[in-house]
Amino acid sequence: QVSVAESGGGFVQAGGSLRLSCIASKLSMNARGMAWFRQTPGKERAAVAAITWDSKSTYYSDSVRGRFTISRDNAKTALYLQMADLKPEDTGTYYCAAGPRVTPPQLFAPSYSYWGQGTQVTVSS
């Protein structure tokens, strides 16, 4: 059974950094686009960053471009999100998702078939 699990969330002060990790078990990573979504109370999940199966194409939301970096290691079935210069508005639950092998990366949550349970990131001002 496929499982997706995030780790690395936590509490950090503004300006700090965090690295989120996601491990996908029993999932052929080279057949999947991957993404990080963020959700805050009362709002829908929104794509923060996405990456194609071969890492050749990436997407970043306007709010994180230049501060966050998405990467993957298919051999380790892992997805990462390096977050720098964190701001209070980055606070939320971050979800790892596995979706279709298409280019460009998909940004629509229903396009993704497998989701982790989420990891909380809290940035204080």
Side-chain angles (χ1 to χ4, degrees):
Q1 185 171 349
V2 173
S3 67
V4 178
E6 307 92 341
S7 62
F11 185 93
V12 64
Q13 291 188 332
S17 299
L18 281 175
R19 188 191 194 208
L20 304 184
S21 298
C22 169
I23 300 296
S25 300
K26 297 185 178 180
L27 184 68
S28 179
M29 288 284 283
N30 61 7
R32 296 284 181 177
M34 302 289 293
W36 290 98
F37 285 76
R38 179 171 67 208
Q39 188 169 27
T40 54
K43 295 187 177 181
E44 295 184 353
R45 292 181 189 183
V48 171
I51 187 168
T52 50
W53 67 276
D54 57 1
S55 300
K56 290 185 178 180
S57 181
T58 57
Y59 158 85
Y60 296 95
S61 67
D62 290 342
S63 65
V64 308
R65 188 175 295 115
R67 300 186 297 119
F68 290 12
T69 303
I70 188 171
S71 62
R72 62 189 294 165
D73 184 336
N74 289 349
K76 297 181 178 179
T77 67
L79 178 73
Y80 306 102
L81 186 67
Q82 181 67 48
M83 305 186 293
D85 189 24
L86 283 160
K87 303 177 180 181
E89 51 263 42
D90 295 321
T91 294
T93 302
Y94 285 72
Y95 295 89
C96 172
R101 176 177 169 170
V102 296
T103 301
Q106 295 295 292
L107 311 178
F108 191 45
S111 297
Y112 288 81
S113 304
Y114 301 100
W115 293 83
Q117 293 300 307
T119 186
Q120 178 67 33
V121 172
T122 303
V123 184
S124 66
S125 58

